[in-house]
Amino acid sequence: MNGHEEEDHPDAITSASFSTKKTINNDVFTPAETLTRTLSSDEDDDVPFSLLSEVRSNISYHSSDYFGWSTFTASRLSVKTVINAGLYTFSFSLLTTASFGLLFSVDTKGTWGPAQAFLSGGMTGLFMTLFGGQPLVLFGQTGPITLLYTYAYEFCHTQDIKFYGFVGWMGVWSALQHFAIAIAGLNDKKYLNYVTRFTGEIFELLVAADYITAAIIGFYDGFRVRGCPSIECAGDLGLRYLNGSFSLLLGLSFWIVAMWLQGSNTEHGMRWGTFAYRRFYGQFGCMISLVVFTTLSYATTWDATAGWPESIPSRVPIASEWGVPSLDLGRATREMGAMEVGHIFVAIIPAVFLTVLFYVDQNLSTLMAVRDISNTPLKSKDAYNMDFFLLGVTVLFTGLLGLPASSGLIPQNPMHSKALIVLKEEFGDNTTEVAVSALKTPSASSSRDSGDIVDVEEGGETAAVGVLKLSTIPTGYVVEQRISNLIHSGLLLLFIVLLPIVGFIPRGVLWGAFLLLAAEAYGAQFVQRALLAFTSNKSRDRTQWDDIRDVVNVTPHRETNIFTTIQFILWFFVFIIAVILKIPFPMADGNTWVVVGSIFPILICLCALFRFTLLPKFVDEDALLVLDPHEARGRAHPAVKDKEE
């Protein structure tokens, strides 16, 4: 490609400038050799990793992940980065876990609640942190898990099946399937590379749409007895409308303020306040908003407003006692032995769905944990089979305890990985360490060209340097360790004894949290391409499309629209089946056929199959190489090859 063409299209394919292997082979990262280990060599790309080889490759690094602090404590900035990553991701997970706990409480009519969500997430996270292969992946409750277990509860409720026993057998059957897949080596890169952006974005948008649906239903329920279950609301329509209006106001206000604060340390964020304050707002914006609007929800109580019951707005149903909650963790095993043989084997079906869901959810979480840091080398070898086997162990013990299983946290994992980057920027003859401390929302951070306010440590002092473009920083390393993950999981588990704090939160604020989670999908290329379809040719040259500049400059607009339309149709079909059908046709009314929605993990896998069988018949092959590159085949668009040459 000649110089004039490069000048016209400097960002034709963003990933072309970030060849991880090229960077490693050129030994650019020698200052951080003790922290980094090269990725798999080109010769190993087509060789499947067996379970035992993955264990051998990773086990020798476990001790350094815990006790290798001397390597990176030489940089005060690295220590701050580790602690900050753990606290920041926990602040976000506290909100999401409480939200999913509330959803469990509503959908299972109090059978499960926040206690089960926190206990499962904390136990799974600690186990995987201690024994797992990839230290960057965080674990906890997610929307798809909540959706699948809700289907299981409704099925058990309508068929008069013991729910806890059913959950226990689901865990047993699913764990066996996890073990079989991992031992057979069916979870390595050879297969995972077929889960491309096309399928990943359908799954990501399905989760976001489920969050929005849950928020809308939650706000609507605030006007009904279901969302305001107090004695006062049950007999007074006016109080129910008061509760619904106040909850809606709190939820929308929380969402707007949290979004504003989280964007405060970006290139286009707020400009008032010192750099330290702006960074703090950006990192902990959702927590600040949570505290503010939870506090404001008590204003009517403090003011002793006449006729205003203390039960309005309705809050998360939590026992008021501090300490370890009274959970009957042996109930599942007792009911498992008392179940009918037919019901035991019926549990195999949702167990298959759970295994497929975790195959997609867990692996996408891992891929997303390393996706946005692909311009920095990682010390961790591939451990997909190893982690999937260990995840099966967690599925087993959570099932036997009568708890929902937990998996990788898709929203938090990119945030965690990006928070652990320490970049090396060359300033003349000096090398300065730069920490990516502007932790934006996951979707906003998905582009390497996004501007971030960063910290610089030079001569033992830390100072702000304004906005840097990640794509302009050629070197750096990830502070790979397990301490930040221990902080995240340990605090989740610790919150079991602090659950009354969650009981202070209004339901409306947590429904607003679902809107905050859904907003993360705005940065997905799927959404950006959909918006691009309604943009004029002149407007496509604007900087607002820099995140998908490769699509704008290289791919014909018609091919982009066909690809996006097909992706939308498949997403909409899965969304209707998984989320919408059970709303007008509740299983409690005898519509047991709606349980078909629980097959949504299978539908996601079929989308991956569609990508490699039928989609090439509708979209030009060269366009697909840009819109949805397939790493397993090692192919690149000609524009990429020309630019590399």
Side-chain angles (χ1 to χ4, degrees):
M1 192 175 282
N2 59 40
H4 177 71
E5 290 174 334
E6 288 184 350
E7 184 176 342
D8 287 345
H9 305 293
D11 299 316
I13 301 292
T14 308
S15 60
S17 304
F18 294 92
S19 176
T20 305
K21 294 171 184 174
K22 181 186 293 185
T23 305
I24 295 170
N25 293 336
N26 290 339
D27 295 324
V28 176
F29 297 94
T30 51
E33 286 178 348
T34 55
L35 285 176
T36 57
R37 181 186 330 145
T38 59
L39 295 173
S40 304
S41 63
D42 292 337
E43 293 82 8
D44 292 335
D45 282 350
D46 296 326
V47 180
F49 282 93
S50 68
L51 177 61
L52 292 179
S53 66
E54 289 184 2
V55 173
R56 287 195 299 266
S57 299
N58 285 276
I59 196 169
S60 60
Y61 295 96
H62 271 60
S63 60
S64 65
D65 286 339
Y66 292 111
F67 306 111
W69 280 72
S70 59
T71 305
F72 59 86
T73 50
S75 169
R76 180 167 58 91
L77 193 59
S78 295
V79 178
K80 286 170 43 182
T81 298
V82 170
I83 297 175
N84 180 78
L87 293 177
Y88 171 69
T89 51
F90 166 71
S91 69
F92 203 86
S93 292
L94 170 63
L95 186 63
T96 58
T97 307
S99 300
F100 292 129
L102 173 59
L103 203 58
F104 271 137
S105 180
V106 172
D107 291 341
T108 65
K109 299 176 176 60
T111 302
W112 280 347
Q116 285 80 4
F118 276 100
L119 184 57
S120 174
M123 291 174 60
T124 301
L126 283 178
F127 180 84
M128 295 299 293
T129 301
L130 292 172
F131 303 105
Q134 176 52 261
L136 296 179
V137 179
L138 303 175
F139 293 83
Q141 288 295 296
T142 66
I145 295 174
T146 309
L147 183 62
L148 184 59
Y149 276 105
T150 298
Y151 274 113
Y153 171 81
E154 291 176 346
F155 175 76
C156 291
H157 185 67
T158 56
Q159 300 300 313
D160 196 24
I161 299 175
K162 299 180 185 298
F163 175 65
Y164 278 94
F166 195 77
V167 168
W169 281 112
M170 275 182 62
V172 171
W173 294 123
S174 182
L176 293 175
Q177 295 160 18
H178 277 73
F179 300 153
I181 290 173
I183 293 173
L186 300 178
N187 197 42
D188 57 45
K189 287 175 61 178
K190 180 180 179 180
Y191 302 99
L192 294 180
N193 282 331
Y194 286 88
V195 182
T196 62
R197 175 188 293 156
F198 179 82
T199 307
E201 288 183 338
I202 291 176
F203 183 74
E204 184 180 356
L205 267 294
L206 173 66
V207 173
D210 182 38
Y211 290 159
I212 294 174
T213 305
I216 293 173
I217 294 175
F219 284 131
Y220 174 69
D221 282 345
F223 295 89
R224 304 192 298 166
V225 175
R226 177 181 174 181
C228 186
S230 66
I231 298 176
E232 294 92 346
C233 287
D236 193 322
L237 179 63
L239 290 181
R240 292 203 295 273
Y241 274 81
L242 178 63
N243 176 74
S245 301
F246 196 21
S247 297
L248 182 62
L249 176 63
L250 289 170
L252 294 180
S253 300
F254 162 82
W255 172 51
I256 293 171
V257 172
M259 290 282 291
W260 176 63
L261 289 175
Q262 287 191 152
S264 62
N265 57 352
T266 62
E267 185 175 5
H268 304 291
M270 68 173 68
R271 288 291 176 262
W272 55 272
T274 65
F275 166 76
Y277 283 124
R278 297 201 308 272
R279 182 184 62 186
F280 180 76
Y281 298 151
Q283 293 171 347
F284 299 98
C286 65
M287 184 58 61
I288 294 172
S289 185
L290 173 66
V291 172
V292 168
F293 288 101
T294 298
T295 303
L296 288 177
S297 69
Y298 285 95
T300 54
T301 303
W302 300 331
D303 189 46
T305 304
W308 192 294
E310 292 186 3
S311 58
I312 294 179
S314 56
R315 305 181 187 276
V316 180
I318 291 288
S320 58
E321 295 82 9
W322 298 86
V324 180
S326 56
L327 300 176
D328 188 359
L329 299 179
R331 181 176 175 180
T333 53
R334 292 195 305 270
E335 291 189 358
M336 288 173 67
M339 286 183 62
E340 298 178 10
V341 176
H343 294 164
I344 293 175
F345 285 98
V346 167
I348 295 178
I349 300 175
V352 171
F353 299 156
L354 181 63
T355 302
V356 174
L357 172 62
F358 276 17
Y359 190 92
V360 175
D361 200 358
Q362 168 64 21
N363 291 318
L364 277 178
S365 297
T366 304
L367 294 171
M368 292 179 70
V370 300
R371 181 190 65 184
D372 295 333
I373 55 174
S374 58
N375 57 325
T376 58
L378 298 176
K379 70 179 182 180
S380 300
K381 293 284 187 178
D382 290 333
Y384 294 106
N385 286 303
M386 175 182 171
D387 283 346
F388 201 67
F389 184 93
L390 293 173
L391 189 64
V393 176
T394 69
V395 171
L396 178 61
F397 69 67
T398 53
L400 294 178
L401 293 174
L403 300 172
S406 294
S407 183
L409 295 170
I410 288 181
Q412 286 91 322
N413 279 318
M415 300 159 66
H416 181 234
S417 301
K418 186 179 176 183
L420 293 171
I421 296 177
V422 175
L423 300 168
K424 298 276 188 179
E425 176 68 49
E426 298 290 341
F427 293 102
D429 296 330
N430 300 320
T431 299
T432 302
E433 287 192 347
V434 181
V436 184
S437 57
L439 301 175
K440 298 181 292 183
T441 56
S443 62
S445 65
S446 62
S447 169
R448 298 190 196 96
D449 281 338
S450 57
D452 290 323
I453 297 177
V454 298
D455 279 345
V456 172
E457 182 171 338
E458 190 170 16
E461 297 182 358
T462 303
V465 296
V467 176
L468 291 177
K469 298 281 187 179
L470 291 185
S471 60
T472 66
I473 302 177
T475 61
Y477 61 88
V478 178
V479 186
E480 284 185 88
Q481 37 64 55
R482 297 174 188 266
I483 305 301
S484 58
N485 212 326
L486 278 176
I487 293 173
H488 173 271
S489 302
L491 290 176
L492 276 182
L493 191 59
L494 177 64
F495 230 79
I496 284 293
V497 302
L498 304 174
L499 281 178
I501 294 178
V502 179
F504 296 144
I505 304 175
R507 294 191 181 198
V509 169
L510 292 186
W511 299 132
F514 279 105
L515 296 179
L516 184 65
L517 289 170
E520 314 302 347
Y522 178 78
Q525 192 187 96
F526 182 4
V527 177
Q528 297 302 311
R529 281 188 274 104
L531 296 175
L532 183 67
F534 300 96
T535 304
S536 64
N537 292 331
K538 284 186 177 180
S539 300
R540 290 173 196 156
D541 294 330
R542 295 179 180 175
T543 57
Q544 72 185 80
W545 304 112
D546 285 348
D547 289 351
I548 55 171
R549 184 55 57 190
D550 53 334
V551 174
V552 175
N553 290 347
V554 177
T555 309
H557 192 54
R558 177 179 177 275
E559 299 295 329
T560 301
N561 287 344
I562 294 175
F563 180 87
T564 305
T565 301
I566 294 175
Q567 197 176 22
F568 173 82
I569 292 173
L570 292 178
W571 163 80
F572 188 72
F573 174 75
V574 178
F575 173 60
I576 294 295
I577 296 295
V579 179
I580 297 299
L581 283 181
K582 64 185 179 70
I583 298 175
F585 305 104
M587 278 200 284
D589 293 345
N591 302 299
T592 54
W593 60 271
V594 178
V595 76
V596 70
S598 61
I599 70 169
F600 71 91
I602 305 294
L603 297 179
I604 295 297
C605 291
L606 290 178
C607 290
L609 180 63
F610 179 91
R611 159 64 179 89
F612 293 103
T613 55
L614 297 179
L615 186 62
K617 300 181 183 297
F618 299 96
V619 182
D620 181 73
E621 184 177 9
D622 286 340
L624 278 178
L625 293 178
V626 178
L627 292 166
D628 193 38
H630 180 29
E631 296 177 6
R633 296 180 180 175
R635 306 170 67 187
H637 189 274
V640 179
K641 296 180 181 178
D642 292 343
K643 189 167 184 175
E644 288 179 342
E645 295 172 357

